[in-house]
Amino acid sequence: MKIVRLVLRILLILITIVVIYPFVWSIFSSFKTNEEFLASPFSLPSGLYLDNFVRAFQKSNIAGNFLSSIIVLICTLFLVVLFTVPASYVLSRYRFAGRRLIKSFFMALIFVPVSLIMIPLFSQMSSMHLLNNRIALSFVYAAMLYPFSIFLLSGYMESIPKSYEEAAEIDGCSPLRTLVYIITPLAKSGIFTVVLLDAMNAFNEYAIALVLITDQAKQTIPVGIATLYEAQRYATDWGALFAALTIVIIPTVVFYIAGQRYLIEGVNVGGIKE
Amino acid sequence: MSRKNFQRNIFISFSIIPPLLITLVFLAIPAVRAFCLSFTDANMIGIGGTSFTGLENYRYMFSDQVFMKAFRNTVILLIVVPLITITVSLILSEILHRGNLREAGFYRVVFFFPSIISLTVVAIVWSFIFHPTMGLVNSMLDFLHLSQMKRSWLGTAETALGSIAFTLVWQAAGYYLVMILAAMTSINNDYYEAATIDGAGWFRQFVYITLPEVKNIIIITIILSMSGTLNLSFTLSTIMTNGGPNNASLVLLKYIYNQGMTNGNFGYSMAITVFTLLFSIILSIAVQKLQRREEAV
């Protein structure tokens, strides 16, 4: 049994290396000069060569990309929280005509990737004069995130005991007050999980952002990084490229370490509730 | 009482209508629009107006060799990637679930990480790993004295699609591991104890206790993995290979993009969109039906 466990441990360590190495290698490469990178791509950096980061900011629009991503992220999360919480509550607690239909409508959309409709979306947004509009992009992201968010949160709310609301109703509390003062605090960790998962999805989305935002000054991080990579293919300033990648990887790692408990819980709940 | 009922109905309407409306405007209407325009020769700049062409786009689609190639590549990815991803996730979850390792929680956190990082970043980093001269894969082959196996992984028709498939598995396995592991953790431990007393080995316990208990979650992860693969293959195909070489790694979404955005053939691009939409819906219904039938047995 000890031998088996040792073999398992070695296997897991090897997989850990396969998982982590690409990121560590990118971060190391961001501290190397281009000559150093070409001569020995796999060695440790000989020093902290920070000039790459300066050039990354100069050559790309990464600061502007971050700003765009944050604008889109904040609008998207606002739309998600504002509308997902009441909708999930109503779908999990109230019985009304069309409830099943609305539920299955959202359920069906969970499995259809939004990037499929990028061309009709482009043509529609173009005729609505909403191209290169980051707020409009947030609405598309909100639409893309509602199905899964509502599914996850209404599942979470179903597990809250009904006695709290019954007590509130006897006291003459209106449905809105019940939602704001009783349900929302009780569902806090569920809402937080939804926000984290949605933030991650909106921040990383590529296809729709690529199609709807063509103005380089307004591009989000994933599109901006891809544009930089495309340019460096010919300019071959790998140092600046890796610095830009590192600028994206490091905040993601920090965000992940801070929120991993809720992210993982969200994935768990989403799967089991089916 | 009626005032209360009125209040209730207002509350329901205000809760349901906004997200429903946003979803309809930005998801459902574009899908309907795709359907309508797929019967026309609409183009991006609108030169020559738009005229109704009936099923012409669909007829052309099935004689279009590039479309057939993209469809074939997508089907290959939709079979291979979920199969390998879920198998890897299942094996790793079983190890973390039954291995009795103190550090199991740590591995769960580490393996999950690739699924939360931007896929654009993943695509760029893996382009370097598969790079013919600076890439890790070829350097490892040199190190292992297998230099004759070296190649330009993304630049060779035989390996480009496979390299994308590998990256997709690497990216997603940890996500499904977390889902499957959660289901495994909720299995009652008494089953395993009883089986151990009866002399059942680890493998038999896996087949007769673990697998039946997590069967539903496996079906869900397969559906999620297929829809994820369809979606994410676009990013990898665009950034890592640009669909090449010679369309060897072209996928449906990339071809939709090329026809719509690069060539401006809206009508044709929408026809492929409608086809892919129907294809993905039928696929997910088929897998769910499979699950129901299994349950009935």
Side-chain angles (χ1 to χ4, degrees), chain A residues 148-161:
Chain A
F148 184 70
S149 309
I150 290 175
F151 163 68
L152 204 142
L153 198 58
S154 57
Y156 190 91
M157 284 175 170
E158 266 161 27
S159 66
I160 297 174

Side-chain angles (χ1 to χ4, degrees), chain A residues 29-35 37 49-63 228 232 235-244 247:
Chain A
S29 302
S30 72
F31 293 115
K32 291 177 179 178
T33 64
N34 281 321
E35 295 72 35
F37 176 74
Y49 180 69
L50 293 172
D51 203 39
N52 288 331
F53 288 87
V54 177
R55 285 202 320 284
F57 277 105
Q58 282 166 353
K59 287 193 173 177
S60 72
N61 185 20
I62 194 157
L228 178 68
Q232 292 317 312
T236 62
D237 185 353
W238 305 123
L241 177 66
F242 281 112
I247 293 169

